[in-house]
Amino acid sequence: MGEIMKIVIDSFGGDHGVGEIARAIVKVLETHKDIELIVTGNKNSLEQELAALNFSSDRLTIIHTTEYVTNDDSPVTAIREKKDSSLVRAFDILKENDDVKGLLSLGSTGAVLSGGFMKIGRIRGISRPALCPALPTITGGNVYIMDCGANMDCKPENLCDFAVMGKAYLENVIGIKNPRIALLSVGTEPHKGNVLVHDVYGSLEGMDINFVGNMEARDLLSGKYDLVVCDGFSGNVLLKSTEGAILSLLSILKNKIKSRTLSKIGYVFMKKTFDELRGIMDYNNHPGAVFIGCKKLIAKAHGSSKYISIAKTIELLYDMDKVDLVGKIENSMKAKEN
Amino acid sequence: MGEIMKIVIDSFGGDHGVGEIARAIVKVLETHKDIELIVTGNKNSLEQELAALNFSSDRLTIIHTTEYVTNDDSPVTAIREKKDSSLVRAFDILKENDDVKGLLSLGSTGAVLSGGFMKIGRIRGISRPALCPALPTITGGNVYIMDCGANMDCKPENLCDFAVMGKAYLENVIGIKNPRIALLSVGTEPHKGNVLVHDVYGSLEGMDINFVGNMEARDLLSGKYDLVVCDGFSGNVLLKSTEGAILSLLSILKNKIKSRTLSKIGYVFMKKTFDELRGIMDYNNHPGAVFIGCKKLIAKAHGSSKYISIAKTIELLYDMDKVDLVGKIENSMKAKEN
């Protein structure tokens, strides 16, 4: 067995309380004997949940904290001032201990990003770290979006860095050789797009990546692309409108089925198909988004995540450390400089 | 019966050829005795299609043209140089005849927009005309997006103008009193968004509109908003990712149903529900997008439109003229100046 890997978890911010975090902790520690977890938050609540699960482990440390960073807090102010919050303490533990490799939070995305910038800092040469979630495609794989909300306004060099980091992540952690990287635009033709797209297109063409040109938002789930690079505002719109459209369609379908007797009968026969579909689209079967580009590993799970998704996100941090993703990105940036 | 309204149609650019245009012409002229149509394009083909439909009318004029503007043409160059193209001739007819009120094309969106800018010009006070399509919501209504692709990079004053024009359009043409207008962003909180969103938020709050704050892309189809204002790049991403996600989901569903016998049986019972759903989502049951802000009325139907959608788009131009939308927008802009 290899070296023990330590990961710190901010236990605040989940919509379902700390119960799901506790279950995720149990799952990860039982299946990975080389992971050690440090958890910040309300010690009492966490211990109660773990006791209810009959779980104890010497690879688990709980650090009691007295404050919380919420979505209403200004991210920068919260990181500066809420020194005994579960999030800031988690970042301090990540920062101060060489053997703590990664951090997971379900809390305020803005605060997690600010913590990354302010407490951990960027990898040398990376202009902007970025948030990189995955969505399932119609061909059974995943498509990754980068940036998806960390950087609202971007310059061309930022998108070039996203491509470098995304390539390193997909090749080394996800296992996609020579990933197909596209630029989000309003049409596939190179002349289509806004100023940012025009300015960055040529640079992406000149890079040592498999750049396949512009992607229209319509084709996100087509399976034709592995990674889409874009500014964080557009990436967020792309991700959330896709998720929203799918949820809206499923909701219309459900209401229509309920309103018609024949359809209700039909539903009985199709239940397995619908369950499978819901499974593919369910956040809870997928890990959260990774925040790539800081000197240490950071991940943000959805506030509504259940324990399976939380455990998968912890395992993703573990996989990122195993392949030394930070080192790989550092090397890519050095190669680019030369 | 009121005055005759003349509309010019560029018959090139439809994926299904001129047959669908011919059927749309028949439908419109048969149901609206006060509409006169002028059609540019290949006279022979059109006459053949109309003869096959046993149709002739003295309210139809066909103008033979010899060139075409395609998606591969640079829009600005095409408008300048392809003087005998069906699109440029249509714009010239719209420009030179006071009694021709509107133009419809199924062709290159970029060229239609350029034609509007270059041949027709903006309404006094409007900084940028914008493209405004509609999408069906889960509550049975529609949500309108403006801009959706005419202006890739926008300034705050452009979005304010979109709100004024969108309000005039929704109130007078669509019949939505005091429409709920939202600003596209990455969260509902006023502090969330990119520089453009931050800069325009306060201006929208100060305007004589029902501004309901930021909208997350996830909630586009929720039925909580009537109009979403945004830059044309984000609006295009919003529209196309929503359409793409819905088509992707329906395609997955279809494949899954086919792969399982029980599901196939279930499908028989649910067919009516699925057909209804497909009907709601089908482009062909909805009119195309209107391009608002020029001195005359312009609409762009989807290249894949069938005759029902084309006829609905012509009727939309008719409705816009009936309420004098251009005059209404002029008045709104004058009121804003004072």
Side-chain angles (χ1 to χ4, degrees), chain A residues 153 186 195 216 218 240-241 243 249 253 256 260 263 270 273 276 283, chain B residues 153 186 195 216 218 240-241 243 256 260 263 270 273 276-277 283:
Chain A
D153 296 277
V186 301
V195 169
E216 255 195 307
R218 190 191 303 283
K240 287 188 181 161
S241 51
E243 290 177 346
L249 187 67
L253 203 56
K256 292 224 166 287
R260 198 173 268 139
S263 282
M270 292 176 77
T273 294
E276 206 176 297
Y283 297 132
Chain B
D153 295 277
V186 300
V195 168
E216 254 193 307
R218 189 191 304 283
K240 288 187 181 161
S241 52
E243 290 177 346
K256 290 221 167 291
R260 196 174 267 137
S263 282
M270 290 175 78
T273 294
E276 206 176 297
L277 196 65
Y283 296 133

PDB file of all heavy atoms in Angstrom, chain A residues 153 186 195 216 218 240-241 243 249 253 256 260 263 270 273 276 283, chain B residues 153 186 195 216 218 240-241 243 256 260 263 270 273 276-277 283:
ATOM      1  N   ASP A 153     -15.270  37.371 -16.345  1.00  0.00           N
ATOM      2  CA  ASP A 153     -14.766  38.058 -17.541  1.00  0.00           C
ATOM      3  C   ASP A 153     -13.370  37.523 -17.833  1.00  0.00           C
ATOM      4  O   ASP A 153     -12.505  37.554 -16.967  1.00  0.00           O
ATOM      5  CB  ASP A 153     -14.739  39.569 -17.306  1.00  0.00           C
ATOM      6  CG  ASP A 153     -16.152  40.123 -17.097  1.00  0.00           C
ATOM      7  OD1 ASP A 153     -16.840  40.372 -18.087  1.00  0.00           O
ATOM      8  OD2 ASP A 153     -16.570  40.268 -15.926  1.00  0.00           O
ATOM      9  N   VAL A 186     -21.065  30.741 -31.233  1.00  0.00           N
ATOM     10  CA  VAL A 186     -22.451  30.772 -31.714  1.00  0.00           C
ATOM     11  C   VAL A 186     -22.598  30.044 -33.054  1.00  0.00           C
ATOM     12  O   VAL A 186     -23.660  30.061 -33.669  1.00  0.00           O
ATOM     13  CB  VAL A 186     -22.969  32.221 -31.837  1.00  0.00           C
ATOM     14  CG1 VAL A 186     -22.910  32.921 -30.489  1.00  0.00           C
ATOM     15  CG2 VAL A 186     -22.168  33.002 -32.873  1.00  0.00           C
ATOM     16  N   VAL A 195     -15.781  39.033 -29.444  1.00  0.00           N
ATOM     17  CA  VAL A 195     -14.382  39.470 -29.526  1.00  0.00           C
ATOM     18  C   VAL A 195     -13.455  38.451 -28.875  1.00  0.00           C
ATOM     19  O   VAL A 195     -12.410  38.094 -29.425  1.00  0.00           O
ATOM     20  CB  VAL A 195     -14.220  40.864 -28.863  1.00  0.00           C
ATOM     21  CG1 VAL A 195     -12.756  41.211 -28.691  1.00  0.00           C
ATOM     22  CG2 VAL A 195     -14.910  41.943 -29.721  1.00  0.00           C
ATOM     23  N   GLU A 216     -21.061  24.811 -31.188  1.00  0.00           N
ATOM     24  CA  GLU A 216     -22.328  25.465 -30.895  1.00  0.00           C
ATOM     25  C   GLU A 216     -22.921  24.858 -29.636  1.00  0.00           C
ATOM     26  O   GLU A 216     -22.836  23.638 -29.438  1.00  0.00           O
ATOM     27  CB  GLU A 216     -23.297  25.206 -32.047  1.00  0.00           C
ATOM     28  CG  GLU A 216     -23.507  26.392 -32.940  1.00  0.00           C
ATOM     29  CD  GLU A 216     -24.721  26.186 -33.824  1.00  0.00           C
ATOM     30  OE1 GLU A 216     -24.783  25.153 -34.497  1.00  0.00           O
ATOM     31  OE2 GLU A 216     -25.578  27.074 -33.848  1.00  0.00           O
ATOM     32  N   ARG A 218     -25.757  24.014 -28.904  1.00  0.00           N
ATOM     33  CA  ARG A 218     -26.680  22.934 -29.255  1.00  0.00           C
ATOM     34  C   ARG A 218     -26.027  21.552 -29.206  1.00  0.00           C
ATOM     35  O   ARG A 218     -26.689  20.556 -28.942  1.00  0.00           O
ATOM     36  CB  ARG A 218     -27.146  23.203 -30.695  1.00  0.00           C
ATOM     37  CG  ARG A 218     -28.264  22.390 -31.231  1.00  0.00           C
ATOM     38  CD  ARG A 218     -28.399  22.617 -32.747  1.00  0.00           C
ATOM     39  NE  ARG A 218     -28.587  24.009 -33.117  1.00  0.00           N
ATOM     40  CZ  ARG A 218     -29.736  24.668 -32.994  1.00  0.00           C
ATOM     41  NH1 ARG A 218     -30.784  24.057 -32.513  1.00  0.00           N
ATOM     42  NH2 ARG A 218     -29.825  25.945 -33.350  1.00  0.00           N
ATOM     43  N   LYS A 240     -25.979  25.498 -16.816  1.00  0.00           N
ATOM     44  CA  LYS A 240     -27.246  25.596 -16.091  1.00  0.00           C
ATOM     45  C   LYS A 240     -28.456  25.549 -17.010  1.00  0.00           C
ATOM     46  O   LYS A 240     -29.515  25.065 -16.619  1.00  0.00           O
ATOM     47  CB  LYS A 240     -27.269  26.873 -15.250  1.00  0.00           C
ATOM     48  CG  LYS A 240     -26.349  26.767 -14.040  1.00  0.00           C
ATOM     49  CD  LYS A 240     -26.519  27.944 -13.120  1.00  0.00           C
ATOM     50  CE  LYS A 240     -25.599  27.844 -11.929  1.00  0.00           C
ATOM     51  NZ  LYS A 240     -25.427  29.161 -11.281  1.00  0.00           N
ATOM     52  N   SER A 241     -28.330  26.067 -18.239  1.00  0.00           N
ATOM     53  CA  SER A 241     -29.495  25.980 -19.124  1.00  0.00           C
ATOM     54  C   SER A 241     -29.683  24.539 -19.584  1.00  0.00           C
ATOM     55  O   SER A 241     -30.814  24.089 -19.751  1.00  0.00           O
ATOM     56  CB  SER A 241     -29.387  26.948 -20.306  1.00  0.00           C
ATOM     57  OG  SER A 241     -28.175  26.815 -20.953  1.00  0.00           O
ATOM     58  N   GLU A 243     -28.888  21.786 -17.772  1.00  0.00           N
ATOM     59  CA  GLU A 243     -29.505  21.095 -16.629  1.00  0.00           C
ATOM     60  C   GLU A 243     -30.974  21.499 -16.477  1.00  0.00           C
ATOM     61  O   GLU A 243     -31.849  20.663 -16.269  1.00  0.00           O
ATOM     62  CB  GLU A 243     -28.753  21.434 -15.335  1.00  0.00           C
ATOM     63  CG  GLU A 243     -27.365  20.823 -15.258  1.00  0.00           C
ATOM     64  CD  GLU A 243     -26.607  21.226 -13.990  1.00  0.00           C
ATOM     65  OE1 GLU A 243     -27.032  22.186 -13.296  1.00  0.00           O
ATOM     66  OE2 GLU A 243     -25.587  20.591 -13.700  1.00  0.00           O
ATOM     67  N   LEU A 249     -38.064  19.354 -18.944  1.00  0.00           N
ATOM     68  CA  LEU A 249     -38.688  18.373 -19.825  1.00  0.00           C
ATOM     69  C   LEU A 249     -39.203  17.182 -19.021  1.00  0.00           C
ATOM     70  O   LEU A 249     -40.324  16.710 -19.240  1.00  0.00           O
ATOM     71  CB  LEU A 249     -37.679  17.904 -20.881  1.00  0.00           C
ATOM     72  CG  LEU A 249     -38.256  17.001 -21.957  1.00  0.00           C
ATOM     73  CD1 LEU A 249     -39.241  17.756 -22.829  1.00  0.00           C
ATOM     74  CD2 LEU A 249     -37.159  16.415 -22.835  1.00  0.00           C
ATOM     75  N   LEU A 253     -43.080  15.958 -18.750  1.00  0.00           N
ATOM     76  CA  LEU A 253     -43.389  14.571 -19.079  1.00  0.00           C
ATOM     77  C   LEU A 253     -44.170  13.927 -17.936  1.00  0.00           C
ATOM     78  O   LEU A 253     -45.176  13.251 -18.143  1.00  0.00           O
ATOM     79  CB  LEU A 253     -42.062  13.831 -19.305  1.00  0.00           C
ATOM     80  CG  LEU A 253     -42.083  12.565 -20.147  1.00  0.00           C
ATOM     81  CD1 LEU A 253     -42.678  12.826 -21.509  1.00  0.00           C
ATOM     82  CD2 LEU A 253     -40.661  12.034 -20.328  1.00  0.00           C
ATOM     83  N   LYS A 256     -47.718  15.280 -17.756  1.00  0.00           N
ATOM     84  CA  LYS A 256     -48.538  14.796 -18.867  1.00  0.00           C
ATOM     85  C   LYS A 256     -48.927  13.337 -18.646  1.00  0.00           C
ATOM     86  O   LYS A 256     -50.037  12.923 -18.947  1.00  0.00           O
ATOM     87  CB  LYS A 256     -47.780  14.928 -20.197  1.00  0.00           C
ATOM     88  CG  LYS A 256     -47.572  16.352 -20.616  1.00  0.00           C
ATOM     89  CD  LYS A 256     -47.865  16.551 -22.089  1.00  0.00           C
ATOM     90  CE  LYS A 256     -47.983  18.027 -22.408  1.00  0.00           C
ATOM     91  NZ  LYS A 256     -49.207  18.632 -21.913  1.00  0.00           N
ATOM     92  N   ARG A 260     -53.233  11.452 -17.917  1.00  0.00           N
ATOM     93  CA  ARG A 260     -53.859  10.611 -18.928  1.00  0.00           C
ATOM     94  C   ARG A 260     -53.779   9.144 -18.495  1.00  0.00           C
ATOM     95  O   ARG A 260     -52.694   8.630 -18.253  1.00  0.00           O
ATOM     96  CB  ARG A 260     -53.109  10.815 -20.257  1.00  0.00           C
ATOM     97  CG  ARG A 260     -53.875  10.356 -21.467  1.00  0.00           C
ATOM     98  CD  ARG A 260     -53.160  10.727 -22.740  1.00  0.00           C
ATOM     99  NE  ARG A 260     -53.559  12.010 -23.283  1.00  0.00           N
ATOM    100  CZ  ARG A 260     -52.737  12.894 -23.809  1.00  0.00           C
ATOM    101  NH1 ARG A 260     -51.456  12.659 -23.815  1.00  0.00           N
ATOM    102  NH2 ARG A 260     -53.197  14.008 -24.316  1.00  0.00           N
ATOM    103  N   SER A 263     -51.541   6.791 -20.493  1.00  0.00           N
ATOM    104  CA  SER A 263     -50.138   7.083 -20.271  1.00  0.00           C
ATOM    105  C   SER A 263     -49.669   6.496 -18.947  1.00  0.00           C
ATOM    106  O   SER A 263     -48.555   6.010 -18.830  1.00  0.00           O
ATOM    107  CB  SER A 263     -49.897   8.591 -20.271  1.00  0.00           C
ATOM    108  OG  SER A 263     -49.886   9.065 -21.587  1.00  0.00           O
ATOM    109  N   MET A 270     -42.775   1.308 -18.698  1.00  0.00           N
ATOM    110  CA  MET A 270     -41.555   2.045 -19.035  1.00  0.00           C
ATOM    111  C   MET A 270     -40.761   2.484 -17.819  1.00  0.00           C
ATOM    112  O   MET A 270     -39.739   3.139 -17.951  1.00  0.00           O
ATOM    113  CB  MET A 270     -41.919   3.284 -19.858  1.00  0.00           C
ATOM    114  CG  MET A 270     -42.440   2.927 -21.224  1.00  0.00           C
ATOM    115  SD  MET A 270     -42.949   4.401 -22.086  1.00  0.00           S
ATOM    116  CE  MET A 270     -41.367   5.053 -22.569  1.00  0.00           C
ATOM    117  N   THR A 273     -37.040   2.202 -17.810  1.00  0.00           N
ATOM    118  CA  THR A 273     -36.394   3.136 -18.738  1.00  0.00           C
ATOM    119  C   THR A 273     -36.306   4.538 -18.132  1.00  0.00           C
ATOM    120  O   THR A 273     -35.271   5.196 -18.195  1.00  0.00           O
ATOM    121  CB  THR A 273     -37.179   3.170 -20.071  1.00  0.00           C
ATOM    122  OG1 THR A 273     -37.062   1.889 -20.686  1.00  0.00           O
ATOM    123  CG2 THR A 273     -36.645   4.236 -20.993  1.00  0.00           C
ATOM    124  N   GLU A 276     -33.739   4.647 -15.358  1.00  0.00           N
ATOM    125  CA  GLU A 276     -32.387   4.639 -15.900  1.00  0.00           C
ATOM    126  C   GLU A 276     -31.999   6.042 -16.382  1.00  0.00           C
ATOM    127  O   GLU A 276     -30.912   6.535 -16.121  1.00  0.00           O
ATOM    128  CB  GLU A 276     -32.358   3.661 -17.069  1.00  0.00           C
ATOM    129  CG  GLU A 276     -31.003   3.060 -17.354  1.00  0.00           C
ATOM    130  CD  GLU A 276     -31.128   2.028 -18.467  1.00  0.00           C
ATOM    131  OE1 GLU A 276     -31.830   1.011 -18.280  1.00  0.00           O
ATOM    132  OE2 GLU A 276     -30.548   2.263 -19.541  1.00  0.00           O
ATOM    133  N   TYR A 283     -27.614  14.405 -10.572  1.00  0.00           N
ATOM    134  CA  TYR A 283     -26.363  14.931 -10.017  1.00  0.00           C
ATOM    135  C   TYR A 283     -25.690  13.908  -9.103  1.00  0.00           C
ATOM    136  O   TYR A 283     -24.493  13.856  -8.983  1.00  0.00           O
ATOM    137  CB  TYR A 283     -26.630  16.118  -9.063  1.00  0.00           C
ATOM    138  CG  TYR A 283     -27.236  17.316  -9.661  1.00  0.00           C
ATOM    139  CD1 TYR A 283     -28.333  17.923  -9.056  1.00  0.00           C
ATOM    140  CD2 TYR A 283     -26.703  17.888 -10.791  1.00  0.00           C
ATOM    141  CE1 TYR A 283     -28.890  19.061  -9.578  1.00  0.00           C
ATOM    142  CE2 TYR A 283     -27.270  19.035 -11.316  1.00  0.00           C
ATOM    143  CZ  TYR A 283     -28.361  19.614 -10.700  1.00  0.00           C
ATOM    144  OH  TYR A 283     -28.914  20.744 -11.213  1.00  0.00           O
TER     145      TYR A 283
ATOM    146  N   ASP B 153     -21.058  41.427 -28.688  1.00  0.00           N
ATOM    147  CA  ASP B 153     -20.499  42.126 -27.525  1.00  0.00           C
ATOM    148  C   ASP B 153     -21.377  43.338 -27.250  1.00  0.00           C
ATOM    149  O   ASP B 153     -21.605  44.152 -28.138  1.00  0.00           O
ATOM    150  CB  ASP B 153     -19.054  42.541 -27.814  1.00  0.00           C
ATOM    151  CG  ASP B 153     -18.148  41.330 -28.004  1.00  0.00           C
ATOM    152  OD1 ASP B 153     -17.693  40.781 -26.993  1.00  0.00           O
ATOM    153  OD2 ASP B 153     -17.917  40.923 -29.163  1.00  0.00           O
ATOM    154  N   VAL B 186     -25.483  34.578 -13.424  1.00  0.00           N
ATOM    155  CA  VAL B 186     -25.069  33.271 -12.909  1.00  0.00           C
ATOM    156  C   VAL B 186     -25.694  32.982 -11.549  1.00  0.00           C
ATOM    157  O   VAL B 186     -25.376  31.982 -10.912  1.00  0.00           O
ATOM    158  CB  VAL B 186     -23.532  33.163 -12.824  1.00  0.00           C
ATOM    159  CG1 VAL B 186     -22.921  33.346 -14.200  1.00  0.00           C
ATOM    160  CG2 VAL B 186     -22.976  34.200 -11.850  1.00  0.00           C
ATOM    161  N   VAL B 195     -18.974  41.830 -15.638  1.00  0.00           N
ATOM    162  CA  VAL B 195     -18.919  43.295 -15.599  1.00  0.00           C
ATOM    163  C   VAL B 195     -20.174  43.897 -16.246  1.00  0.00           C
ATOM    164  O   VAL B 195     -20.784  44.832 -15.707  1.00  0.00           O
ATOM    165  CB  VAL B 195     -17.640  43.808 -16.312  1.00  0.00           C
ATOM    166  CG1 VAL B 195     -17.708  45.309 -16.534  1.00  0.00           C
ATOM    167  CG2 VAL B 195     -16.402  43.451 -15.495  1.00  0.00           C
ATOM    168  N   GLU B 216     -31.216  32.991 -13.278  1.00  0.00           N
ATOM    169  CA  GLU B 216     -30.243  31.937 -13.547  1.00  0.00           C
ATOM    170  C   GLU B 216     -30.699  31.156 -14.774  1.00  0.00           C
ATOM    171  O   GLU B 216     -31.895  30.906 -14.949  1.00  0.00           O
ATOM    172  CB  GLU B 216     -30.203  30.971 -12.364  1.00  0.00           C
ATOM    173  CG  GLU B 216     -28.977  31.112 -11.512  1.00  0.00           C
ATOM    174  CD  GLU B 216     -28.851  29.927 -10.576  1.00  0.00           C
ATOM    175  OE1 GLU B 216     -29.823  29.647  -9.862  1.00  0.00           O
ATOM    176  OE2 GLU B 216     -27.783  29.299 -10.569  1.00  0.00           O
ATOM    177  N   ARG B 218     -30.768  28.186 -15.399  1.00  0.00           N
ATOM    178  CA  ARG B 218     -31.541  27.021 -14.987  1.00  0.00           C
ATOM    179  C   ARG B 218     -33.052  27.276 -15.018  1.00  0.00           C
ATOM    180  O   ARG B 218     -33.844  26.361 -15.236  1.00  0.00           O
ATOM    181  CB  ARG B 218     -31.121  26.703 -13.547  1.00  0.00           C
ATOM    182  CG  ARG B 218     -31.611  25.419 -12.954  1.00  0.00           C
ATOM    183  CD  ARG B 218     -31.318  25.407 -11.443  1.00  0.00           C
ATOM    184  NE  ARG B 218     -29.913  25.609 -11.115  1.00  0.00           N
ATOM    185  CZ  ARG B 218     -28.978  24.661 -11.232  1.00  0.00           C
ATOM    186  NH1 ARG B 218     -29.318  23.472 -11.652  1.00  0.00           N
ATOM    187  NH2 ARG B 218     -27.715  24.913 -10.920  1.00  0.00           N
ATOM    188  N   LYS B 240     -29.589  27.948 -27.526  1.00  0.00           N
ATOM    189  CA  LYS B 240     -29.164  26.728 -28.209  1.00  0.00           C
ATOM    190  C   LYS B 240     -28.869  25.584 -27.251  1.00  0.00           C
ATOM    191  O   LYS B 240     -29.063  24.425 -27.599  1.00  0.00           O
ATOM    192  CB  LYS B 240     -27.957  27.020 -29.091  1.00  0.00           C
ATOM    193  CG  LYS B 240     -28.343  27.824 -30.320  1.00  0.00           C
ATOM    194  CD  LYS B 240     -27.188  27.956 -31.272  1.00  0.00           C
ATOM    195  CE  LYS B 240     -27.546  28.769 -32.497  1.00  0.00           C
ATOM    196  NZ  LYS B 240     -26.338  29.277 -33.176  1.00  0.00           N
ATOM    197  N   SER B 241     -28.369  25.887 -26.050  1.00  0.00           N
ATOM    198  CA  SER B 241     -28.121  24.778 -25.127  1.00  0.00           C
ATOM    199  C   SER B 241     -29.441  24.225 -24.615  1.00  0.00           C
ATOM    200  O   SER B 241     -29.564  23.020 -24.396  1.00  0.00           O
ATOM    201  CB  SER B 241     -27.184  25.181 -23.989  1.00  0.00           C
ATOM    202  OG  SER B 241     -27.626  26.329 -23.353  1.00  0.00           O
ATOM    203  N   GLU B 243     -32.348  24.181 -26.358  1.00  0.00           N
ATOM    204  CA  GLU B 243     -32.874  23.357 -27.451  1.00  0.00           C
ATOM    205  C   GLU B 243     -32.096  22.047 -27.588  1.00  0.00           C
ATOM    206  O   GLU B 243     -32.678  20.978 -27.761  1.00  0.00           O
ATOM    207  CB  GLU B 243     -32.793  24.134 -28.777  1.00  0.00           C
ATOM    208  CG  GLU B 243     -33.771  25.292 -28.855  1.00  0.00           C
ATOM    209  CD  GLU B 243     -33.618  26.097 -30.157  1.00  0.00           C
ATOM    210  OE1 GLU B 243     -32.597  25.922 -30.871  1.00  0.00           O
ATOM    211  OE2 GLU B 243     -34.512  26.887 -30.451  1.00  0.00           O
ATOM    212  N   LYS B 256     -33.539   4.316 -25.639  1.00  0.00           N
ATOM    213  CA  LYS B 256     -33.751   3.425 -24.496  1.00  0.00           C
ATOM    214  C   LYS B 256     -35.057   2.656 -24.659  1.00  0.00           C
ATOM    215  O   LYS B 256     -35.149   1.488 -24.323  1.00  0.00           O
ATOM    216  CB  LYS B 256     -33.776   4.234 -23.196  1.00  0.00           C
ATOM    217  CG  LYS B 256     -32.427   4.797 -22.834  1.00  0.00           C
ATOM    218  CD  LYS B 256     -32.167   4.689 -21.351  1.00  0.00           C
ATOM    219  CE  LYS B 256     -30.693   4.952 -21.060  1.00  0.00           C
ATOM    220  NZ  LYS B 256     -29.804   3.897 -21.543  1.00  0.00           N
ATOM    221  N   ARG B 260     -35.694  -2.012 -25.196  1.00  0.00           N
ATOM    222  CA  ARG B 260     -36.306  -2.817 -24.140  1.00  0.00           C
ATOM    223  C   ARG B 260     -37.749  -3.157 -24.533  1.00  0.00           C
ATOM    224  O   ARG B 260     -38.552  -2.258 -24.774  1.00  0.00           O
ATOM    225  CB  ARG B 260     -36.266  -1.990 -22.845  1.00  0.00           C
ATOM    226  CG  ARG B 260     -36.492  -2.808 -21.611  1.00  0.00           C
ATOM    227  CD  ARG B 260     -36.300  -1.962 -20.359  1.00  0.00           C
ATOM    228  NE  ARG B 260     -34.965  -2.019 -19.815  1.00  0.00           N
ATOM    229  CZ  ARG B 260     -34.299  -0.971 -19.366  1.00  0.00           C
ATOM    230  NH1 ARG B 260     -34.833   0.216 -19.416  1.00  0.00           N
ATOM    231  NH2 ARG B 260     -33.098  -1.119 -18.853  1.00  0.00           N
ATOM    232  N   SER B 263     -40.572  -1.581 -22.517  1.00  0.00           N
ATOM    233  CA  SER B 263     -40.687  -0.160 -22.786  1.00  0.00           C
ATOM    234  C   SER B 263     -41.405   0.095 -24.092  1.00  0.00           C
ATOM    235  O   SER B 263     -42.185   1.030 -24.218  1.00  0.00           O
ATOM    236  CB  SER B 263     -39.301   0.492 -22.828  1.00  0.00           C
ATOM    237  OG  SER B 263     -38.833   0.692 -21.522  1.00  0.00           O
ATOM    238  N   MET B 270     -48.268   5.314 -24.346  1.00  0.00           N
ATOM    239  CA  MET B 270     -47.890   6.699 -24.070  1.00  0.00           C
ATOM    240  C   MET B 270     -47.722   7.544 -25.311  1.00  0.00           C
ATOM    241  O   MET B 270     -47.355   8.709 -25.221  1.00  0.00           O
ATOM    242  CB  MET B 270     -46.574   6.717 -23.287  1.00  0.00           C
ATOM    243  CG  MET B 270     -46.744   6.200 -21.881  1.00  0.00           C
ATOM    244  SD  MET B 270     -45.144   6.112 -21.075  1.00  0.00           S
ATOM    245  CE  MET B 270     -44.928   7.820 -20.672  1.00  0.00           C
ATOM    246  N   THR B 273     -48.996  11.064 -25.398  1.00  0.00           N
ATOM    247  CA  THR B 273     -48.242  11.963 -24.518  1.00  0.00           C
ATOM    248  C   THR B 273     -46.936  12.406 -25.180  1.00  0.00           C
ATOM    249  O   THR B 273     -46.572  13.585 -25.170  1.00  0.00           O
ATOM    250  CB  THR B 273     -47.957  11.263 -23.176  1.00  0.00           C
ATOM    251  OG1 THR B 273     -49.205  11.060 -22.521  1.00  0.00           O
ATOM    252  CG2 THR B 273     -47.048  12.095 -22.301  1.00  0.00           C
ATOM    253  N   GLU B 276     -47.594  14.817 -28.031  1.00  0.00           N
ATOM    254  CA  GLU B 276     -47.953  16.134 -27.519  1.00  0.00           C
ATOM    255  C   GLU B 276     -46.691  16.898 -27.105  1.00  0.00           C
ATOM    256  O   GLU B 276     -46.517  18.069 -27.407  1.00  0.00           O
ATOM    257  CB  GLU B 276     -48.865  15.931 -26.314  1.00  0.00           C
ATOM    258  CG  GLU B 276     -49.807  17.096 -26.045  1.00  0.00           C
ATOM    259  CD  GLU B 276     -50.734  16.740 -24.894  1.00  0.00           C
ATOM    260  OE1 GLU B 276     -51.521  15.785 -25.040  1.00  0.00           O
ATOM    261  OE2 GLU B 276     -50.630  17.413 -23.847  1.00  0.00           O
ATOM    262  N   LEU B 277     -45.809  16.165 -26.434  1.00  0.00           N
ATOM    263  CA  LEU B 277     -44.565  16.756 -25.954  1.00  0.00           C
ATOM    264  C   LEU B 277     -43.710  17.219 -27.120  1.00  0.00           C
ATOM    265  O   LEU B 277     -43.176  18.328 -27.131  1.00  0.00           O
ATOM    266  CB  LEU B 277     -43.813  15.695 -25.161  1.00  0.00           C
ATOM    267  CG  LEU B 277     -42.703  16.198 -24.283  1.00  0.00           C
ATOM    268  CD1 LEU B 277     -43.283  17.069 -23.192  1.00  0.00           C
ATOM    269  CD2 LEU B 277     -41.967  15.027 -23.652  1.00  0.00           C
ATOM    270  N   TYR B 283     -40.003  23.175 -33.335  1.00  0.00           N
ATOM    271  CA  TYR B 283     -39.839  24.502 -33.958  1.00  0.00           C
ATOM    272  C   TYR B 283     -41.025  24.840 -34.837  1.00  0.00           C
ATOM    273  O   TYR B 283     -41.393  25.986 -34.993  1.00  0.00           O
ATOM    274  CB  TYR B 283     -38.656  24.523 -34.938  1.00  0.00           C
ATOM    275  CG  TYR B 283     -37.316  24.303 -34.360  1.00  0.00           C
ATOM    276  CD1 TYR B 283     -36.440  23.399 -34.955  1.00  0.00           C
ATOM    277  CD2 TYR B 283     -36.886  25.012 -33.257  1.00  0.00           C
ATOM    278  CE1 TYR B 283     -35.170  23.201 -34.452  1.00  0.00           C
ATOM    279  CE2 TYR B 283     -35.621  24.805 -32.756  1.00  0.00           C
ATOM    280  CZ  TYR B 283     -34.764  23.903 -33.349  1.00  0.00           C
ATOM    281  OH  TYR B 283     -33.526  23.706 -32.865  1.00  0.00           O
TER     282      TYR B 283
END
